[in-house]
Amino acid sequence: MLSCAVAAPVMHMAQLRAVFTALVGLVVLTEASDLPLQQTSDVRFTDRFEPRLLRAMTDSDVHPVIQAWRNSSCVGAWQHDVFTPRLTTQRELVENVTSSMHKLVGGKMTLHRKNWEYVFVSRILDAIGLLSAGVGKKALGFAVGEERTVPFFAKHQVNVVATDLPPNDPQVAGWGGTHQHMSGAVEAMPRYGHVTKKQMREYVTQEWLDMNQMEKSDVWKTQLGSFDFVWSVCSVEHVGSIKLALEAMINSLQFLKLGGTAVHTTEFNLNQLVDTMDGPGTVIFRQSDAESLRACALRKGYEMPEICYDPGDGPIDMTVDLPPYHHDNHLKLFLDNKYISTCIGWSFRKPLSWQDNGASCEDIFRDRVEWSRENGLFAKWPVDETVAAPVSYTAITQLDLPWIAGMMVLMISGLCVIFARRLCWPRVKSSLDPLSAV
């Protein structure tokens, strides 16, 4: 019995080595972070001992054009107009975690840009009253994978058409391997505790749709112009190129009924205005791409408010997560060893008086940077738009120190018990059994 009691608190040698490595890393990386750590419940054991590599971001990391928006009148626009297209900020995420948002995200909220995307979507849903209306409303989601949005809508009795790439698409193998592709049966889709299988069957239908070929899908042929709400969360950046992504978002607006609302969230380049990632796996939108999207939407008769590029100035806004990425303090991240990216959310509305005017956006989308120059976008700022903001590499570290300290106490306690057992047990045994001393 004593040996079993001793074995419980004793850590495996590999775990001891991990503790030692983490402590050494804490000493070597002297620039320790004082940022709040909000650990999620699904973190691997070894994550506790890996130094959390972040990078303190200075104003020089953000392009001067984007920096200037910190002093613009649109800062905090989300407080009075939730439809304002905008960037991820710590303040909005912290101040707008509503009860409905908690239900959508599930579990413990962390300062992660995905949670900001859910905040962006949910606040617009609240504003248009879709969740309160519920019954009879229709929503269409693109590349939903295993998102929490689908069961969340079903819980509120919204009829959802969930779409994703056809199973025979070559890209599906990669997405399926990371649990980011929609399963082939409604009952098999994750429900996250929101709804029952019966509710999923009643309110959710599945359709296969390639965002680059929407017109070939059944939902395009049979349900065009019939949805109250259309959305995608962090998916349009994977369609192949920025131009394809812009075209996909504009095409998605055709699914809206008159008065309907569309929302798309994706990647945004904070430190460069010209150079960026442009596929095939991922793209990062620039300011010129965002302005081109708005110009096209307006030309076609849709409504889209002016875009606010305020990057935020909170402590987590000024922190860049470095690979391997984590589940918290992840509002800005470093991509391709070159770009600082965050999320941007766009909203569109199809006016009640909307009519198809047949307008084309080919001239806008052909070369968004040149179009922006010609239309005076860059001329507003006294800077050279071709110059990228410098990127420094001063790393800071963040460890789950309270948890590590607790494990160290358990480890030391176990070693003490082992020492006491080896030192004292022979004497105790001899006192209990006189014959053993003969």
Side-chain angles (χ1 to χ4, degrees), residues 92-119:
E92 181 177 10
L93 178 55
V94 170
E95 294 185 9
N96 289 279
V97 182
T98 61
S99 57
S100 62
M101 191 60 233
H102 274 297
K103 293 177 182 178
L104 176 54
V105 174
K108 186 176 180 179
M109 279 290 297
T110 57
L111 294 175
H112 194 287
R113 64 204 197 112
K114 175 66 72 175
N115 290 337
W116 176 87
E117 290 177 294
Y118 285 145
V119 164

mmCIF file of all heavy atoms in Angstrom, residues 92-119:
data_model
loop_
_atom_site.group_PDB
_atom_site.id
_atom_site.type_symbol
_atom_site.label_atom_id
_atom_site.label_comp_id
_atom_site.label_asym_id
_atom_site.label_seq_id
_atom_site.Cartn_x
_atom_site.Cartn_y
_atom_site.Cartn_z
ATOM 1 N N GLU A 92 -12.620 45.127 -27.902
ATOM 2 C CA GLU A 92 -13.938 44.647 -28.325
ATOM 3 C C GLU A 92 -14.193 43.233 -27.834
ATOM 4 O O GLU A 92 -15.289 42.907 -27.392
ATOM 5 C CB GLU A 92 -14.085 44.696 -29.839
ATOM 6 C CG GLU A 92 -15.466 44.222 -30.294
ATOM 7 C CD GLU A 92 -15.693 44.323 -31.788
ATOM 8 O OE1 GLU A 92 -14.727 44.591 -32.530
ATOM 9 O OE2 GLU A 92 -16.842 44.112 -32.214
ATOM 10 N N LEU A 93 -13.172 42.388 -27.900
ATOM 11 C CA LEU A 93 -13.348 41.009 -27.464
ATOM 12 C C LEU A 93 -13.661 40.943 -25.978
ATOM 13 O O LEU A 93 -14.562 40.223 -25.548
ATOM 14 C CB LEU A 93 -12.088 40.201 -27.771
ATOM 15 C CG LEU A 93 -12.084 38.732 -27.329
ATOM 16 C CD1 LEU A 93 -13.282 37.983 -27.891
ATOM 17 C CD2 LEU A 93 -10.788 38.058 -27.757
ATOM 18 N N VAL A 94 -12.946 41.724 -25.179
ATOM 19 C CA VAL A 94 -13.127 41.678 -23.730
ATOM 20 C C VAL A 94 -14.458 42.290 -23.311
ATOM 21 O O VAL A 94 -15.149 41.776 -22.429
ATOM 22 C CB VAL A 94 -11.966 42.414 -23.030
ATOM 23 C CG1 VAL A 94 -12.255 42.589 -21.543
ATOM 24 C CG2 VAL A 94 -10.670 41.642 -23.232
ATOM 25 N N GLU A 95 -14.853 43.390 -23.966
ATOM 26 C CA GLU A 95 -16.033 44.129 -23.526
ATOM 27 C C GLU A 95 -17.333 43.608 -24.115
ATOM 28 O O GLU A 95 -18.409 44.044 -23.687
ATOM 29 C CB GLU A 95 -15.882 45.611 -23.871
ATOM 30 C CG GLU A 95 -14.765 46.296 -23.101
ATOM 31 C CD GLU A 95 -14.696 47.788 -23.369
ATOM 32 O OE1 GLU A 95 -15.634 48.304 -24.031
ATOM 33 O OE2 GLU A 95 -13.728 48.429 -22.926
ATOM 34 N N ASN A 96 -17.266 42.685 -25.061
ATOM 35 C CA ASN A 96 -18.505 42.271 -25.729
ATOM 36 C C ASN A 96 -18.711 40.764 -25.721
ATOM 37 O O ASN A 96 -19.246 40.195 -26.661
ATOM 38 C CB ASN A 96 -18.513 42.792 -27.171
ATOM 39 C CG ASN A 96 -18.708 44.287 -27.224
ATOM 40 O OD1 ASN A 96 -19.815 44.786 -27.120
ATOM 41 N ND2 ASN A 96 -17.605 45.002 -27.363
ATOM 42 N N VAL A 97 -18.281 40.135 -24.646
ATOM 43 C CA VAL A 97 -18.533 38.707 -24.509
ATOM 44 C C VAL A 97 -19.906 38.552 -23.868
ATOM 45 O O VAL A 97 -20.048 38.529 -22.656
ATOM 46 C CB VAL A 97 -17.447 38.027 -23.660
ATOM 47 C CG1 VAL A 97 -17.701 36.534 -23.567
ATOM 48 C CG2 VAL A 97 -16.079 38.260 -24.285
ATOM 49 N N THR A 98 -20.912 38.501 -24.707
ATOM 50 C CA THR A 98 -22.294 38.449 -24.228
ATOM 51 C C THR A 98 -22.661 37.023 -23.830
ATOM 52 O O THR A 98 -21.930 36.071 -24.078
ATOM 53 C CB THR A 98 -23.251 38.917 -25.331
ATOM 54 O OG1 THR A 98 -23.106 38.034 -26.453
ATOM 55 C CG2 THR A 98 -22.905 40.322 -25.782
ATOM 56 N N SER A 99 -23.816 36.862 -23.215
ATOM 57 C CA SER A 99 -24.257 35.527 -22.825
ATOM 58 C C SER A 99 -24.437 34.636 -24.044
ATOM 59 O O SER A 99 -24.090 33.452 -24.026
ATOM 60 C CB SER A 99 -25.575 35.615 -22.038
ATOM 61 O OG SER A 99 -26.569 36.277 -22.806
ATOM 62 N N SER A 100 -24.975 35.192 -25.128
ATOM 63 C CA SER A 100 -25.129 34.391 -26.343
ATOM 64 C C SER A 100 -23.769 34.018 -26.908
ATOM 65 O O SER A 100 -23.589 32.952 -27.490
ATOM 66 C CB SER A 100 -25.939 35.157 -27.394
ATOM 67 O OG SER A 100 -25.269 36.349 -27.777
ATOM 68 N N MET A 101 -22.783 34.917 -26.724
ATOM 69 C CA MET A 101 -21.442 34.629 -27.204
ATOM 70 C C MET A 101 -20.835 33.453 -26.432
ATOM 71 O O MET A 101 -20.175 32.593 -27.001
ATOM 72 C CB MET A 101 -20.573 35.880 -27.033
ATOM 73 C CG MET A 101 -19.235 35.804 -27.718
ATOM 74 S SD MET A 101 -19.443 35.577 -29.469
ATOM 75 C CE MET A 101 -18.428 34.141 -29.682
ATOM 76 N N HIS A 102 -21.057 33.418 -25.118
ATOM 77 C CA HIS A 102 -20.545 32.314 -24.309
ATOM 78 C C HIS A 102 -21.104 30.985 -24.803
ATOM 79 O O HIS A 102 -20.408 29.980 -24.873
ATOM 80 C CB HIS A 102 -20.910 32.521 -22.839
ATOM 81 C CG HIS A 102 -19.933 33.371 -22.097
ATOM 82 N ND1 HIS A 102 -18.619 33.015 -21.917
ATOM 83 C CD2 HIS A 102 -20.074 34.579 -21.487
ATOM 84 C CE1 HIS A 102 -17.991 33.957 -21.229
ATOM 85 N NE2 HIS A 102 -18.851 34.913 -20.970
ATOM 86 N N LYS A 103 -22.367 30.990 -25.146
ATOM 87 C CA LYS A 103 -22.994 29.756 -25.630
ATOM 88 C C LYS A 103 -22.424 29.348 -26.976
ATOM 89 O O LYS A 103 -22.286 28.155 -27.276
ATOM 90 C CB LYS A 103 -24.508 29.946 -25.725
ATOM 91 C CG LYS A 103 -25.188 30.130 -24.375
ATOM 92 C CD LYS A 103 -26.680 30.391 -24.542
ATOM 93 C CE LYS A 103 -27.351 30.629 -23.191
ATOM 94 N NZ LYS A 103 -28.794 30.938 -23.354
ATOM 95 N N LEU A 104 -22.115 30.336 -27.803
ATOM 96 C CA LEU A 104 -21.572 30.031 -29.123
ATOM 97 C C LEU A 104 -20.163 29.474 -29.023
ATOM 98 O O LEU A 104 -19.830 28.470 -29.639
ATOM 99 C CB LEU A 104 -21.578 31.289 -29.993
ATOM 100 C CG LEU A 104 -20.955 31.180 -31.387
ATOM 101 C CD1 LEU A 104 -21.572 30.028 -32.170
ATOM 102 C CD2 LEU A 104 -21.126 32.473 -32.154
ATOM 103 N N VAL A 105 -19.310 30.119 -28.229
ATOM 104 C CA VAL A 105 -17.926 29.678 -28.107
ATOM 105 C C VAL A 105 -17.835 28.407 -27.280
ATOM 106 O O VAL A 105 -17.143 27.460 -27.624
ATOM 107 C CB VAL A 105 -17.066 30.791 -27.471
ATOM 108 C CG1 VAL A 105 -15.660 30.288 -27.198
ATOM 109 C CG2 VAL A 105 -17.025 31.995 -28.392
ATOM 110 N N GLY A 106 -18.541 28.365 -26.157
ATOM 111 C CA GLY A 106 -18.473 27.198 -25.295
ATOM 112 C C GLY A 106 -17.164 27.162 -24.537
ATOM 113 O O GLY A 106 -16.128 27.591 -25.013
ATOM 114 N N GLY A 107 -17.197 26.643 -23.292
ATOM 115 C CA GLY A 107 -15.964 26.512 -22.543
ATOM 116 C C GLY A 107 -15.437 27.859 -22.085
ATOM 117 O O GLY A 107 -16.152 28.854 -22.000
ATOM 118 N N LYS A 108 -14.136 27.905 -21.820
ATOM 119 C CA LYS A 108 -13.498 29.093 -21.283
ATOM 120 C C LYS A 108 -13.082 30.040 -22.395
ATOM 121 O O LYS A 108 -12.439 29.655 -23.352
ATOM 122 C CB LYS A 108 -12.266 28.687 -20.462
ATOM 123 C CG LYS A 108 -11.608 29.841 -19.734
ATOM 124 C CD LYS A 108 -10.469 29.333 -18.879
ATOM 125 C CE LYS A 108 -9.801 30.478 -18.131
ATOM 126 N NZ LYS A 108 -8.706 29.989 -17.272
ATOM 127 N N MET A 109 -13.470 31.303 -22.252
ATOM 128 C CA MET A 109 -13.103 32.301 -23.245
ATOM 129 C C MET A 109 -11.632 32.659 -23.113
ATOM 130 O O MET A 109 -11.120 32.829 -22.018
ATOM 131 C CB MET A 109 -13.944 33.546 -23.059
ATOM 132 C CG MET A 109 -15.323 33.446 -23.659
ATOM 133 S SD MET A 109 -15.282 33.431 -25.464
ATOM 134 C CE MET A 109 -14.602 35.039 -25.810
ATOM 135 N N THR A 110 -10.934 32.754 -24.223
ATOM 136 C CA THR A 110 -9.544 33.188 -24.238
ATOM 137 C C THR A 110 -9.387 34.321 -25.243
ATOM 138 O O THR A 110 -10.254 34.551 -26.077
ATOM 139 C CB THR A 110 -8.602 32.025 -24.634
ATOM 140 O OG1 THR A 110 -9.008 31.524 -25.923
ATOM 141 C CG2 THR A 110 -8.650 30.899 -23.619
ATOM 142 N N LEU A 111 -8.282 35.022 -25.150
ATOM 143 C CA LEU A 111 -8.017 36.130 -26.072
ATOM 144 C C LEU A 111 -7.455 35.565 -27.366
ATOM 145 O O LEU A 111 -6.266 35.693 -27.667
ATOM 146 C CB LEU A 111 -7.050 37.118 -25.422
ATOM 147 C CG LEU A 111 -7.610 37.844 -24.195
ATOM 148 C CD1 LEU A 111 -6.541 38.705 -23.545
ATOM 149 C CD2 LEU A 111 -8.815 38.702 -24.575
ATOM 150 N N HIS A 112 -8.334 34.953 -28.118
ATOM 151 C CA HIS A 112 -7.983 34.318 -29.387
ATOM 152 C C HIS A 112 -8.792 34.971 -30.487
ATOM 153 O O HIS A 112 -9.973 35.280 -30.328
ATOM 154 C CB HIS A 112 -8.284 32.815 -29.328
ATOM 155 C CG HIS A 112 -7.672 32.028 -30.439
ATOM 156 N ND1 HIS A 112 -8.124 32.074 -31.734
ATOM 157 C CD2 HIS A 112 -6.631 31.145 -30.445
ATOM 158 C CE1 HIS A 112 -7.392 31.266 -32.498
ATOM 159 N NE2 HIS A 112 -6.477 30.706 -31.735
ATOM 160 N N ARG A 113 -8.169 35.176 -31.631
ATOM 161 C CA ARG A 113 -8.851 35.886 -32.713
ATOM 162 C C ARG A 113 -10.072 35.139 -33.234
ATOM 163 O O ARG A 113 -11.019 35.759 -33.731
ATOM 164 C CB ARG A 113 -7.873 36.201 -33.842
ATOM 165 C CG ARG A 113 -7.300 35.005 -34.534
ATOM 166 C CD ARG A 113 -5.959 35.313 -35.198
ATOM 167 N NE ARG A 113 -5.623 34.281 -36.171
ATOM 168 C CZ ARG A 113 -5.579 34.480 -37.485
ATOM 169 N NH1 ARG A 113 -5.841 35.662 -37.977
ATOM 170 N NH2 ARG A 113 -5.269 33.512 -38.289
ATOM 171 N N LYS A 114 -10.089 33.814 -33.132
ATOM 172 C CA LYS A 114 -11.283 33.063 -33.523
ATOM 173 C C LYS A 114 -12.470 33.477 -32.656
ATOM 174 O O LYS A 114 -13.600 33.606 -33.153
ATOM 175 C CB LYS A 114 -11.022 31.563 -33.411
ATOM 176 C CG LYS A 114 -12.243 30.687 -33.689
ATOM 177 C CD LYS A 114 -12.705 30.794 -35.145
ATOM 178 C CE LYS A 114 -11.749 30.089 -36.064
ATOM 179 N NZ LYS A 114 -12.247 30.070 -37.467
ATOM 180 N N ASN A 115 -12.226 33.683 -31.372
ATOM 181 C CA ASN A 115 -13.309 34.124 -30.498
ATOM 182 C C ASN A 115 -13.772 35.530 -30.874
ATOM 183 O O ASN A 115 -14.950 35.853 -30.763
ATOM 184 C CB ASN A 115 -12.860 34.090 -29.039
ATOM 185 C CG ASN A 115 -12.695 32.668 -28.544
ATOM 186 O OD1 ASN A 115 -13.284 31.738 -29.084
ATOM 187 N ND2 ASN A 115 -11.865 32.483 -27.529
ATOM 188 N N TRP A 116 -12.837 36.388 -31.319
ATOM 189 C CA TRP A 116 -13.259 37.710 -31.796
ATOM 190 C C TRP A 116 -14.146 37.564 -33.023
ATOM 191 O O TRP A 116 -15.140 38.288 -33.170
ATOM 192 C CB TRP A 116 -12.041 38.578 -32.149
ATOM 193 C CG TRP A 116 -12.468 39.902 -32.720
ATOM 194 C CD1 TRP A 116 -12.773 41.035 -32.034
ATOM 195 C CD2 TRP A 116 -12.704 40.208 -34.115
ATOM 196 N NE1 TRP A 116 -13.176 42.034 -32.902
ATOM 197 C CE2 TRP A 116 -13.143 41.553 -34.192
ATOM 198 C CE3 TRP A 116 -12.580 39.476 -35.290
ATOM 199 C CZ2 TRP A 116 -13.453 42.175 -35.394
ATOM 200 C CZ3 TRP A 116 -12.894 40.106 -36.500
ATOM 201 C CH2 TRP A 116 -13.323 41.440 -36.544
ATOM 202 N N GLU A 117 -13.835 36.646 -33.917
ATOM 203 C CA GLU A 117 -14.663 36.439 -35.103
ATOM 204 C C GLU A 117 -16.076 36.041 -34.701
ATOM 205 O O GLU A 117 -17.062 36.519 -35.278
ATOM 206 C CB GLU A 117 -14.043 35.360 -35.995
ATOM 207 C CG GLU A 117 -12.765 35.805 -36.676
ATOM 208 C CD GLU A 117 -12.128 34.709 -37.506
ATOM 209 O OE1 GLU A 117 -11.680 33.702 -36.922
ATOM 210 O OE2 GLU A 117 -12.071 34.845 -38.738
ATOM 211 N N TYR A 118 -16.187 35.180 -33.684
ATOM 212 C CA TYR A 118 -17.509 34.792 -33.202
ATOM 213 C C TYR A 118 -18.227 35.987 -32.571
ATOM 214 O O TYR A 118 -19.447 36.133 -32.688
ATOM 215 C CB TYR A 118 -17.392 33.649 -32.193
ATOM 216 C CG TYR A 118 -17.089 32.314 -32.821
ATOM 217 C CD1 TYR A 118 -16.267 31.384 -32.175
ATOM 218 C CD2 TYR A 118 -17.632 31.958 -34.046
ATOM 219 C CE1 TYR A 118 -16.000 30.155 -32.745
ATOM 220 C CE2 TYR A 118 -17.360 30.732 -34.628
ATOM 221 C CZ TYR A 118 -16.546 29.822 -33.973
ATOM 222 O OH TYR A 118 -16.269 28.606 -34.535
ATOM 223 N N VAL A 119 -17.476 36.853 -31.868
ATOM 224 C CA VAL A 119 -18.068 38.069 -31.309
ATOM 225 C C VAL A 119 -18.602 38.945 -32.435
ATOM 226 O O VAL A 119 -19.725 39.459 -32.370
ATOM 227 C CB VAL A 119 -17.016 38.842 -30.470
ATOM 228 C CG1 VAL A 119 -17.481 40.273 -30.207
ATOM 229 C CG2 VAL A 119 -16.768 38.136 -29.148
#
